[in-house]
Amino acid sequence: MIVHVPQIGRVQCERCPIRHRAVCAKCDADELAHLDTIKAYRSWKAGETVVMEGEALDFAASVVAGCATLTRSLEDGRTQMVGLLMPSDFIGRPGRATAPYEVVAATDLTLCMFRREPFQALLAEMPHIRERLLEMSLDELDAAREWMLLLGRKTAREKVASLLLIVLRRSTLDTAGGAHAELPLSREAMAAYLGLTIETVSRQITALRKDGVITLQGNRGIECGDLFALAGEAGEDFDGSVIS
Amino acid sequence: MIVHVPQIGRVQCERCPIRHRAVCAKCDADELAHLDTIKAYRSWKAGETVVMEGEALDFAASVVAGCATLTRSLEDGRTQMVGLLMPSDFIGRPGRATAPYEVVAATDLTLCMFRREPFQALLAEMPHIRERLLEMSLDELDAAREWMLLLGRKTAREKVASLLLIVLRRSTLDTAGGAHAELPLSREAMAAYLGLTIETVSRQITALRKDGVITLQGNRGIECGDLFALAGEAGEDFDGSVIS
DNA sequence: CGGCCGGTTGATCTCAGTCAATGCGTGTGG
DNA sequence: CCACACGCATTGACTGAGATCAACCGGCCG
């Protein structure tokens, strides 16, 4: 079910915050001008459903602001998050008319949307978009496989540390080696992402706090003075550096 | 380490068994002719390593015959299979020079290989290959996400049933609703794929046999008289039909 | 004030992991 | 030809990490 929230003011592509990372990253000025004519912004409040699993998907979109989740479910209600969409990430698949996943706004969310058919046409005309979409899909595939390693082989503590690390690496860095951030996910969403229960997530966060690896500010705020230490807890082979 | 096995006789692209499903599926006769000039076949015995994790990857390739596995590992040796490559599946990524996964021949394996630079050039010249690669990458992404649901939320019995179902659906169907196949994977490889131990895999296979869901012929042969029943055990929402 | 929602904490249970022994088929060397 | 070892799979006994069930806490809103 699409919840209709008033569209926020349209931003010109040239000034768009995700201009250089989204599916349109490689487009030139002319192409952007064309995109400007067919795009539409729409917003959702945190918790609202954007698309239901199995529902018709008559659009493609980029996340402009906020955070959305992709989840798959079994009949009996067990659910697993299979993707976490941050600004510049893409929703939709050329040649596919129904959504294989449920899409939910994790925080307040704004999408830059294209109706399906015009977008298909765009893909045919603009090689820059096809190229960028391939790159982004391959990045998603790598991320999904990394997540498979986490789901299949990491302990609860390592899983929680890995997620915190992902969020912290995307956020403000303070003095050398430290960072703080607001979690975009509730405990329930974290559990769905990690293949755990909310109780276990809560216990592991508490444990990491008691062990001095992180400190908390309220339910959503986390701070970590030593990302290398956190990376160690996450079972990572490498360093605590920021992603590119 | 690449183990050098004598190349098997080169097959003309036109007569290639994976002609219509591989990365070259959309190519026309001229394009195939060009491919013919730059490809090379190479074979590996079951168990041999094709590429090590983190090693330089100076080629792209399609699986012509046999079955290969992609695995990611943690420092302490825990490993998770993140992909199972069957004939027509693709190895390698444009713009990436090192392998993020270990590639191992699960059965005797033959690849159709292209050196990296010529393949990059090909991608630039032949939109048909780019298009097909995008399609295949998106299919892989869907498969990876399906696997995330399995790893995060399914029980050991459901996991094993799911894997058997995948193998059986790819194989010969007998009378309505039944199928039999030779597993391309050892118990160890199955465990790596399912995020389980070999003992648990073995126990669950035994349990499915004792419950009359499947019958075994030796270590690798499995038969299932009722794929719908097996699909039920796998926790699938839908039917027991063959994949496209 | 009271109910609700999200999160934490505690007690107990259970499924899958661990450790260890055994079975079975195959190849090898005396 | 047999004896043995080796690789792979099975089976059993026990353990433990994380799930389950349940109580409780604190902030927020009507």
Side-chain angles (χ1 to χ4, degrees), chain A residues 83-154:
Chain A
L84 183 59
L85 303 177
M86 307 286 272
S88 83
D89 286 340
F90 184 77
I91 299 173
R93 154 159 194 176
R96 158 89 51 81
T98 51
Y101 322 109
E102 183 178 44
V103 182
V104 175
T107 63
D108 289 356
L109 177 72
T110 299
L111 299 183
C112 172
M113 308 177 76
F114 306 91
R115 278 180 301 115
R116 237 174 73 78
E117 309 83 49
F119 184 75
Q120 297 273 32
L122 229 63
L123 266 184
E125 291 164 33
M126 299 190 187
H128 287 148
I129 291 194
R130 269 203 311 272
E131 281 169 33
R132 181 65 187 140
L133 190 55
L134 177 58
E135 278 181 13
M136 292 175 71
S137 302
L138 291 169
D139 285 344
E140 283 293 307
L141 185 55
D142 281 343
R145 286 172 166 168
E146 185 72 30
W147 215 249
M148 287 170 66
L149 175 62
L150 176 144
L151 290 172
R153 296 301 181 192
K154 288 192 177 181

Side-chain angles (χ1 to χ4, degrees), chain A residues 1 7 14 29 39 57 75 97 99 107 110 115 134 168 176 189-190 201 211 237:
Chain A
M1 167 205 352
Q7 293 184 14
E14 289 284 5
K39 76 185 188 187
L57 184 66
E75 284 178 307
T107 63
T110 299
R115 278 180 301 115
L134 177 58
L168 286 167
M190 292 176 67
V201 171
D211 293 348
D237 8 6

Side-chain angles (χ1 to χ4, degrees), chain A residues 33-202:
Chain A
H34 185 198
L35 284 180
D36 257 326
T37 67
I38 63 166
K39 76 185 188 187
Y41 281 13
R42 190 175 290 169
S43 296
W44 286 263
K45 293 257 170 221
E48 288 176 349
T49 300
V50 178
V51 200
M52 304 245 289
E53 203 170 335
E55 194 186 55
L57 184 66
D58 56 352
F59 65 88
S62 291
V63 176
V64 177
C67 176
T69 65
L70 295 185
T71 59
R72 280 279 274 127
S73 297
L74 295 170
E75 284 178 307
D76 60 10
R78 284 175 285 175
T79 71
Q80 175 64 48
M81 195 184 300
V82 296
L84 183 59
L85 303 177
M86 307 286 272
S88 83
D89 286 340
F90 184 77
I91 299 173
R93 154 159 194 176
R96 158 89 51 81
T98 51
Y101 322 109
E102 183 178 44
V103 182
V104 175
T107 63
D108 289 356
L109 177 72
T110 299
L111 299 183
C112 172
M113 308 177 76
F114 306 91
R115 278 180 301 115
R116 237 174 73 78
E117 309 83 49
F119 184 75
Q120 297 273 32
L122 229 63
L123 266 184
E125 291 164 33
M126 299 190 187
H128 287 148
I129 291 194
R130 269 203 311 272
E131 281 169 33
R132 181 65 187 140
L133 190 55
L134 177 58
E135 278 181 13
M136 292 175 71
S137 302
L138 291 169
D139 285 344
E140 283 293 307
L141 185 55
D142 281 343
R145 286 172 166 168
E146 185 72 30
W147 215 249
M148 287 170 66
L149 175 62
L150 176 144
L151 290 172
R153 296 301 181 192
K154 288 192 177 181
T155 65
R157 186 180 174 100
E158 288 169 338
K159 285 179 175 182
V160 170
S162 298
L163 178 53
L164 297 183
L165 201 55
I166 287 179
V167 173
L168 286 167
R169 279 183 177 156
R170 287 216 176 213
S171 70
T172 351
L173 295 186
D174 48 31
T175 55
H180 63 96
E182 289 293 303
L183 288 170
L185 300 178
S186 65
R187 295 290 183 271
E188 186 177 6
M190 292 176 67
Y193 202 174
L194 299 171
L196 297 171
T197 58
I198 48 178
E199 293 95 329
T200 300
V201 171
S202 183

